[in-house]
Structure formats: C-alpha cells, structure tokens
Amino acid sequence: MEELHTAQCRSPSAPGSGGVRLSVCGADLSRVGPARIPEDADSLNALLALQGRLDELLATNGPPCVGSCGRLVPVAQYFVDLRVVATLILASWPEASRFAATPALAQAIEREAVQRMRDSRRRTRRGGSKTPYGINSLLSPMESALTMGAVLGIAVYVLEARDKNWTERVLRPFYDAALALNRDAFRRLARLPGTSLALQQVLGVAKETASTLSPEIYIRGPRNG
C-alpha cells in the first residue's frame, strides 16, 4: 500500500478479511471544508432519515426498482432522476421552498441557489457568454453536505410521491422556471442520459406510448399533501 499523506483519509473503501489488504479512501481532507451540522433536531432527523433511505437503496441486497414519478424504475435510473430534479430545485428556487423539511434546510438551499446564480452571472460577465448554464456546471456537486441533503430531501419526496399527476403539477413549475433561465441547457438536462422515461414524460420532453400506459405503479412513498 502506498504511503499516505497525513491529511489523507485512511477509512477503508472496500471490505477485507483474513490476510486481504484493504483499499483506503485516500481523500485529501485538507481540502474538505468544516462539516455543517443542523442546529435543530428536526433538521437533523430529516437528514438522517434521508440517509437511511438512500443507504437502503444502495445496499447490495437493496431493491432492484424504486418509484419515480409514479412508476417503478431501476434504482440506477432513479439516482439520475434525483440529480436532474435536484438541479431543477436549485435553478427554480424558491419554487420548491414549501417542500423543505424545515425552515433551516430551506435557508441552506436559499444560500446555495443564490451563490450559483451569482457564479453563473460572473461567468457571463467574464466570458461574454450568453449561455453559462452548461450541463457540467448544472450538475456540479454542492460543497455542503447539509445543503445536498436539504435538496435531495425535496427531490426524494417529490419523485417518490404516489400520484404521477401530483408529481407533474409540482415539477412542471420547477422546469418552466429553469427554462426561463436557459431553454436549451435545461431541455438537455431533462433528457440527460440515464433519466427514466417516467421523469421525461412528467417534464413533457417524452410522450406516453401504448407500452407505457399501464406500467407497474409504485405504492410506497410519501403521501401527497
């Protein structure tokens, strides 16, 4: 095993037993900002519940399919759907503010959304570009795990709702607001490779066909309120 710098993470990244040597994470912890922990119990509980849900889906013995927009889709597609919806939540903020689990988590998303808008405007001024919303920049990860959890919490709630029509009524305003920023970029995002047909239909970039009129309906998920 290579010698690690003292600032690199030594947490095992793969299980081992007996004489098998473990691989380690190796992440440079000197580049990781301080962890932000929500101060209120409700926010912390919401984030822990979200982590438990995602861990359940990613477990080796986890389900092969999960609900997205009222349909059962492969888990891999569901996680691509999450990325797309999380991006729409940020781009259209505060459209989704009423779905934040707590006011503190809504404030965290607000800070991130405002900062991303400032960054995009700064890139426009510096480069003279009229289209600063590239797919890579749209999908760039959030630096704060707190903010990421806050956004994903809303995305999970909306995607796993039982009623496809409700999900469509919720997501369309997010998508429309994003299109107002840059139509071409966000239409490409809606068709991101790996997204489920169910999400594309809800966003209106794919049509229902005879073969998709009666797929399995997902029966687990948050109630629509």
Side-chain angles (χ1 to χ4, degrees):
M1 184 181 295
E2 288 186 22
E3 288 295 325
L4 294 176
H5 187 275
T6 53
Q8 285 184 277
C9 176
R10 287 165 170 74
S11 177
S13 61
S17 60
V20 178
R21 301 174 70 182
L22 296 175
S23 63
V24 297
C25 173
D28 186 350
L29 300 180
S30 66
R31 298 184 180 182
V32 178
R36 298 183 62 185
I37 301 174
E39 297 179 358
D40 63 294
D42 288 342
S43 295
L44 180 58
N45 289 338
L47 294 177
L48 290 176
L50 171 67
Q51 184 65 63
R53 175 60 177 152
L54 298 181
D55 287 346
E56 174 188 350
L57 295 176
L58 293 171
T60 53
N61 60 344
C65 295
V66 62
S68 182
C69 303
R71 312 289 187 186
L72 280 176
V73 304
V75 169
Q77 283 193 328
Y78 171 82
F79 276 95
V80 181
D81 287 357
L82 276 183
R83 294 187 72 189
V84 170
V85 173
T87 301
L88 293 178
I89 288 169
L90 284 171
S92 64
W93 192 262
E95 284 286 346
S97 58
R98 67 188 185 278
F99 299 111
T102 68
L105 295 180
Q107 290 171 7
I109 300 173
E110 172 78 17
R111 289 190 294 268
E112 178 74 19
V114 168
Q115 185 59 51
R116 288 198 172 209
M117 184 62 71
R118 286 175 180 166
D119 290 345
S120 68
R121 289 172 177 166
R122 190 178 300 116
R123 286 194 298 271
T124 303
R125 288 197 299 270
R126 288 177 179 175
S129 171
K130 295 181 180 179
T131 57
Y133 298 96
I135 292 296
N136 289 337
S137 64
L138 290 176
L139 294 171
S140 60
M142 287 158 260
E143 293 186 4
S144 164
L146 171 64
T147 307
M148 177 67 80
V151 174
L152 287 180
I154 297 175
V156 166
Y157 178 81
V158 173
L159 282 178
E160 292 194 20
R162 300 174 182 178
D163 184 350
K164 176 185 176 183
N165 293 329
W166 181 86
T167 301
E168 182 173 341
R169 289 196 300 272
V170 169
L171 283 184
R172 279 298 183 91
F174 301 175
Y175 185 48
D176 290 343
L179 290 177
L181 294 176
N182 188 282
R183 179 168 293 275
D184 290 341
F186 284 97
R187 282 186 68 83
R188 288 197 300 273
L189 179 73
R191 295 187 175 94
L192 189 71
T195 52
S196 71
L197 181 60
L199 177 60
Q200 291 187 13
Q201 290 170 348
V202 160
L203 295 179
V205 298
K207 294 182 179 179
E208 285 194 356
T209 63
S211 61
T212 62
L213 290 178
S214 58
E216 271 191 278
I217 302 299
Y218 186 48
I219 60 173
R220 172 180 173 172
R223 295 184 181 276
N224 307 139

